[in-house]
Amino acid sequence: MAKVTHLECSACNKRLEAGRIENLCTCGGPLLARYDLDTIRYRWRRREVRNGPSTMWRYAPVLPANGSIVTLGEGWTPLVRANRLGAMLAAGNLWVKDESLNPTGSFKARGLSCAVSVCVEMGIRKVAMASAGNASSALAAYAAAAGIEANIFMPRDVPQPNYLECKAHGAHVTLVDGLISDCALLVAGRAAEEGWFDIGGMREPYRLEGKKTMGYEVAEQLDWELPDAIVYPTGGGVGLIAMWKAFQEMEKLGWIGGRRPKMIAVQAEGCQPIVRAFEENASESRFFENSHTIAAGLRVPKPIGDFLVLQALRQSAGTAIAVSDDEIMDAAVQLAGSEGIYPAPEGAASAAALKKLLQSGFLAPGSRIVLYNTATGLKYPEAWASRLGQALAATEHDKLGGLITPR
Ligand SMILES: *Cc1c(COP(=O)(O)O)cnc(C)c1O
Ligand SMILES: [Zn+2]
């Protein structure tokens, strides 16, 4: 069963044939995969989902691959009830979707398992990507598993673990003295002559399909009742757009009703194009100059899918909010200390934002809230070392019990 019936431009609604190699629409808009949900809903029931594998491929009927799946066990990550953090923040019904358990340590595994599977199916042998971090190591891993060539362009100051993983998995890595947007221009400039398929965020339709399983899973894990709010650390915004799409699909499948969570995009103060656009009531963002933040995955100065993120925020009566790097790492320490989850700064950013949203009254203490920890803190040794090093210097070392002399 060829499941994707067609691709649809998210900007101009143009329809394109499925089963062909496509990047952006001619108008520049990202393409979305569409399915025959009216037929699927009679062949695949909600209660049957639990019989599927304990990976994101339990939702295979609404995923694009037709059989040649490249999987490392991605998805079906725990939804952790965060009682202790909730008590500290006065949030009585708080959950953390812990994406740190994915292969390569981040939710990027979902998108790349899906997109690389489709590449294999279409006979693509060489792919390229500009990435500020976790997407690169996920691509490298899935390309290695599929036996295809990965060409990766990364800003030179990415966290070192991602670089090491890419090299370990045998990818061709080019470090660039610039931002992810500079890396993207390099890929775009060379893709045609090198015969690379550009698998960059929102530049092809299938990574988004993998990421949407974060939305299916949260619904299934909460017994098909969506939470009141989803707090999501937003760089390119692909995960947020993807979950919004998942909710629309689930409604068409008859699995959920029309109620939606408030979608909340969290950004870093040093790179907040979506927050600015949301506050200015603009339909798209402007390039955010001199972007900088400890949360490398949030450093996307002009997301391609910005208009789709903004639509989802507004349609869901959600919001966009920025947090500082200090607030991020304070929240990281709090999350690690109260829940045993060692978060990436991006994941901690959602906890930092939650604190503010409860204080301002935007979210009520009794609301059912899901935070996304999008990656493991193990990938950010510099950020953690600098935060904990500061704490040691600022207090008395002995009182922390840090130093013992054996006799
Ligand atoms: C890529 C990334 C993000 C941002 O993802 P989008 O869905 O593109 O906004 C957030 N957190 C981490 C850890 C990431 O790697
Ligand atoms: Zn278009």
Side-chain angles (χ1 to χ4, degrees), residues 155-350:
R156 61 183 283 196
D157 56 349
V158 289
Q160 197 189 35
N162 290 319
Y163 174 78
L164 296 179
E165 285 177 271
C166 289
K167 297 294 280 188
H169 292 304
H172 302 279
V173 182
T174 308
L175 291 178
V176 178
D177 191 8
L179 294 172
I180 185 162
S181 40
D182 302 307
C183 297
L185 286 176
L186 283 168
V187 172
R190 287 180 55 187
E193 64 183 276
E194 303 276 0
W196 297 337
F197 179 61
D198 185 350
I199 200 165
M202 293 300 281
R203 285 170 195 280
E204 54 71 52
Y206 302 114
R207 278 176 64 188
L208 187 143
E209 291 302 293
K211 289 184 175 188
K212 84 182 175 189
T213 57
M214 288 194 294
Y216 278 87
E217 282 178 25
V218 93
E220 184 177 351
Q221 288 170 320
L222 293 174
D223 208 11
W224 306 109
E225 204 181 301
L226 295 178
D228 299 313
I230 282 182
V231 186
Y232 183 78
T234 303
V238 186
L240 194 145
I241 299 165
M243 285 192 272
W244 193 244
K245 181 174 188 276
F247 301 152
Q248 288 164 353
E249 290 177 0
M250 279 189 276
E251 188 176 356
K252 285 200 185 129
L253 290 168
W255 292 8
I256 60 169
R259 200 182 65 85
R260 295 286 182 273
K262 286 181 163 46
M263 302 300 283
I264 297 164
V266 180
Q267 297 208 290
E269 278 180 3
C271 184
Q272 44 168 318
I274 297 291
V275 177
R276 288 246 171 109
F278 185 80
E279 285 170 356
E280 290 165 1
N281 216 11
S283 56
E284 46 177 276
S285 65
R286 284 178 287 118
F287 189 91
F288 199 93
E289 300 289 345
N290 304 319
S291 54
H292 60 90
T293 168
I294 202 165
L298 305 188
R299 209 173 53 177
V300 184
K302 168 72 173 120
I304 299 185
D306 52 1
F307 64 105
L308 297 171
V309 177
L310 290 160
Q311 278 170 22
L313 301 183
R314 292 188 178 119
Q315 283 171 19
S316 71
T319 190
I321 180 169
V323 289
S324 71
D325 281 5
D326 283 345
E327 288 170 327
I328 288 175
M329 290 315 293
D330 286 351
V333 170
Q334 208 171 17
L335 182 54
S338 62
E339 297 294 343
I341 292 170
Y342 188 54
E346 293 87 342
S350 51

Side-chain angles (χ1 to χ4, degrees), residues 9-14 25-29 31:
C9 174
S10 56
C12 75
N13 295 330
K14 186 167 132 184
C25 174
T26 45
C27 82
L31 299 173

